[in-house]
Amino acid sequence: MVSSSFPISVAVFALITLQVGTQDSFIAAVYEHAVILPNKTETPVSQEDALNLMNENIDILETAIKQAAEQGARIIVTPEDALYGWKFTRETVFPYLEDIPDPQVNWIPCQDPHRFGHTPVQARLSCLAKDNSIYVLANLGDKKPCNSRDSTCPPNGYFQYNTNVVYNTEGKLVARYHKYHLYSEPQFNVPEKPELVTFNTAFGRFGIFTCFDIFFYDPGVTLVKDFHVDTILFPTAWMNVLPLLTAIEFHSAWAMGMGVNLLVANTHHVSLNMTGSGIYAPNGPKVYHYDMKTELGKLLLSEVDSHPLSSLAYPTAVNWNAYATTIKPFPVQKNTFRGFISRDGFNFTELFENAGNLTVCQKELCCHLSYRMLQKEENEVYVLGAFTGLHGRRRREYWQVCTMLKCKTTNLTTCGRPVETASTRFEMFSLSGTFGTEYVFPEVLLTEIHLSPGKFEVLKDGRLVNKNGSSGPILTVSLFGRWYTKDSLYSSCGTSNSAITYLLIFILLMIIALQNIVML
């Protein structure tokens, strides 16, 4: 194994020596898992009880791994929190954690299970990869002892991390990633800096990150732009939020916007709106799964290109504001009104006619829509909306969104609220916006939470348009922009190190200024 670090941060960059020859395509697998959860408790269980629960979940994953390998899959992704669930304190999660070493140690846990202490989970996962000749990604907890004299060391003497591991076909640990952008995970620590983890195979270069990480520049965008990965492995415990952030909707859009394969394994828990896994390519979903009716897991497989960025089948670079900034805005209707998607205040304007051209603006963002409905349903209302600003309660991430969506009812105050069914089909639509960012993700979501593969495309000038005839009944058509350089100084998962530094400098300057005033 050869290792190197990327200069913008202390990165974990794991490279596996390439096998002789390369392959143009491979079969990938993801498994959506209905996790067997622990009983609620405020006191830690024994290490033996924790291991028993994890083995119950691994029993189910083992069946999926074997089935995937039998069908020719070269790699399988299992979900975040798949071994023990998600509702813990620092104390109650501790019995489930193992010490996961840096992959540079050259370790096959299946052959040497006691080299790094008590690691039965790692040993079993390693054996599953080895015995089935398949790469396996799993998510588990890592514990790292720290010096109690260090002010950052937690009271129990351990840093605890939400961690992904990858084992190759020999059972060797080839990648380890600590999740950086935590989301309501008090049981885990935030790593000092985002880790940039990749590994090479004969069927492409892979990068890894987890769940909420996908909303930020690091590690996701850096892995694609600077490390040139072909495929992202993405375990998640994603809670679906309509109208813009269902798992299948946003993940397929991210793959298309970034021009890479994205292998998504979601946790399955209907009461928490957790479902939605898929194998996504830059030109659309290969296969996906969304099931809010059963409590069953699901194995998905598909063949994907090993190097999608170099394939002629995939779209070229898009200038996301080229069209929108060169046309004269369509007449802005007088009845533009304010509405909300979650906590974000959008400017909306209604699609009154069966066909038309509309513009709606918010600050520097103007969204343009040309459309023609097959037939306007009397009991359905659609609006065009624009939002630019810091998103949600946290006010951390800067969004720019242009969206055409169906309102929940004919009452305009319901526009932006979750709605799952629609009847109106569009013969034509063209959506564009004056985006200030190059990172825009195109979403089309149909009635009953379905994607629309092969029925839309993004043109080089930034227009999202339908193709191949009329659409299915539409819930939303959106261009979801992330303007990373306008994000708040504070990280999504708590106060970042850089933010703390800026805050301390500001406080110091204020103290100096006050001292000078007193002296005067």
Side-chain angles (χ1 to χ4, degrees):
M1 185 191 308
V2 179
S3 296
S4 63
S5 61
F6 192 67
I8 68 166
S9 69
V10 180
V12 177
F13 185 19
L15 291 176
I16 305 168
T17 303
L18 281 170
Q19 301 173 23
V20 177
T22 59
Q23 300 164 9
D24 293 334
S25 66
F26 67 98
I27 296 175
V30 300
Y31 182 66
E32 181 162 309
H33 176 46
V35 184
I36 301 171
L37 298 172
N39 296 324
K40 292 182 179 179
T41 178
E42 295 181 1
T43 58
V45 300
S46 68
Q47 194 174 55
E48 180 182 4
D49 286 345
L51 180 58
N52 287 337
L53 177 75
M54 288 190 284
N55 275 324
E56 285 186 65
N57 280 298
I58 297 174
D59 289 343
I60 300 171
L61 300 184
E62 179 176 2
T63 299
I65 291 168
K66 287 182 176 179
Q67 290 177 351
E70 289 169 357
Q71 296 180 64
R74 304 296 303 276
I75 191 165
I76 184 170
V77 181
T78 62
E80 181 183 25
D81 301 328
L83 301 190
Y84 46 72
W86 48 85
K87 197 159 183 68
F88 294 98
T89 64
R90 286 186 57 82
E91 292 73 27
T92 57
V93 81
F94 193 79
Y96 298 87
L97 309 181
E98 294 185 0
D99 186 358
I100 305 172
D102 189 304
Q104 295 184 62
V105 299
N106 193 26
W107 182 39
I108 300 177
C110 185
Q111 295 178 350
D112 190 4
H114 304 295
R115 181 179 170 189
F116 295 97
H118 186 70
T119 57
V121 172
Q122 294 175 78
R124 186 173 179 191
L125 293 170
S126 166
C127 290
L128 284 175
K130 178 177 180 292
D131 294 346
N132 294 283
S133 298
I134 187 173
Y135 281 78
V136 174
L137 181 146
N139 177 266
L140 61 155
D142 187 11
K143 59 182 180 182
K144 287 286 174 281
C146 53
N147 191 334
S148 59
R149 297 173 185 171
D150 183 345
S151 61
T152 65
C153 183
N156 71 341
Y158 287 89
F159 290 113
Q160 301 174 184
Y161 300 112
N162 180 332
T163 308
N164 299 331
V165 291
V166 178
Y167 301 97
N168 70 6
T169 55
E170 299 173 350
K172 181 178 177 181
L173 176 67
V174 296
R176 179 195 68 184
Y177 170 73
H178 295 138
K179 182 180 179 182
Y180 186 73
H181 298 283
L182 302 180
Y183 191 94
S184 298
E185 300 171 71
Q187 67 270 36
F188 292 123
N189 295 102
V190 179
E192 184 178 356
K193 292 184 179 180
E195 298 173 349
L196 303 169
V197 178
T198 71
F199 63 96
N200 284 350
T201 72
F203 46 95
R205 172 175 285 186
F206 291 79
I208 310 167
F209 52 84
T210 309
C211 202
F212 199 44
D213 287 328
I214 201 171
F215 284 111
F216 301 90
Y217 192 90
D218 284 321
V221 178
T222 297
L223 286 173
V224 177
K225 302 286 279 189
D226 299 322
F227 283 68
H228 308 293
V229 299
D230 301 298
T231 300
I232 294 289
L233 308 180
F234 185 66
T236 184
W238 191 281
M239 292 180 283
N240 293 292
V241 181
L242 287 162
L244 301 175
L245 291 177
T246 62
I248 60 173
E249 174 187 23
F250 184 72
H251 300 155
S252 60
W254 196 90
M256 183 174 287
M258 295 305 301
V260 293
N261 299 320
L262 183 66
L263 312 186
V264 180
N266 198 4
T267 301
H268 189 85
H269 196 285
V270 171
S271 65
L272 291 178
N273 292 323
M274 288 180 178
T275 183
S277 301
I279 297 172
Y280 306 108
N283 62 346
K286 294 291 187 177
V287 61
Y288 70 93
H289 174 71
Y290 184 96
D291 171 24
M292 285 290 290
K293 296 179 180 178
T294 77
E295 298 292 344
L296 302 176
K298 181 71 173 180
L299 176 66
L300 303 176
L301 298 100
S302 180
E303 185 175 7
V304 295
D305 285 343
S306 299
H307 307 286
L309 288 174
S310 60
S311 172
L312 295 177
Y314 295 121
T316 55
V318 174
N319 183 343
W320 286 103
N321 65 13
Y323 176 80
T325 54
T326 55
I327 68 164
K328 182 179 179 181
F330 302 127
V332 178
Q333 298 189 40
K334 294 181 180 180
N335 63 335
T336 296
F337 63 97
R338 188 169 176 82
F340 288 87
I341 296 180
S342 297
R343 296 173 182 264
D344 299 328
F346 277 67
N347 289 346
F348 288 125
T349 189
E350 184 179 350
L351 280 61
F352 280 109
E353 307 296 336
N354 282 16
N357 301 299
L358 299 174
T359 293
V360 66
C361 300
Q362 186 176 100
K363 295 187 285 189
E364 71 273 12
L365 177 67
C366 285
C367 302
H368 308 304
L369 174 69
S370 297
Y371 71 95
R372 184 165 58 252
M373 300 175 185
L374 277 179
Q375 181 178 350
K376 191 175 189 301
E377 302 291 338
E378 292 300 321
N379 63 341
E380 293 191 337
V381 170
Y382 284 79
V383 293
L384 172 66
F387 170 77
T388 182
L390 291 170
H391 157 69
R393 176 174 54 84
R394 291 175 174 79
R395 316 304 288 177
R396 301 290 192 254
E397 313 105 62
Y398 198 98
W399 289 12
Q400 286 195 313
V401 179
C402 291
T403 182
M404 180 188 76
L405 57 82
K406 183 200 168 190
C407 301
K408 187 174 181 66
T409 71
T410 55
N411 186 331
L412 295 181
T413 62
T414 69
C415 298
R417 294 182 190 175
V419 57
E420 297 186 4
T421 59
S423 300
T424 301
R425 299 172 183 268
F426 285 73
E427 187 177 353
M428 182 275 288
F429 62 78
S430 172
L431 179 66
S432 61
T434 56
F435 292 96
T437 175
E438 63 181 290
Y439 301 104
V440 180
F441 310 111
E443 302 179 340
V444 176
L445 192 66
L446 303 182
T447 185
E448 298 183 340
I449 322 300
H450 289 289
L451 299 179
S452 186
K455 299 290 286 184
F456 71 92
E457 64 181 331
V458 175
L459 305 182
K460 293 180 182 180
D461 60 10
R463 282 178 289 171
L464 171 57
V465 301
N466 69 305
K467 68 175 185 178
N468 297 330
S470 62
S471 71
I474 283 179
L475 292 177
T476 63
V477 174
S478 305
L479 291 170
F480 187 108
R482 276 288 285 115
W483 200 338
Y484 301 108
T485 56
K486 285 200 169 191
D487 282 1
S488 167
L489 285 175
Y490 299 96
S491 75
S492 61
C493 49
T495 307
S496 69
N497 294 335
S498 60
I500 292 173
T501 301
Y502 285 121
L503 184 59
L504 290 175
I505 292 172
F506 176 76
I507 293 171
L508 181 60
L509 291 173
M510 289 296 294
I511 292 172
I512 293 172
L514 288 172
Q515 286 176 338
N516 289 336
I517 292 171
V518 171
M519 289 175 66
L520 290 173

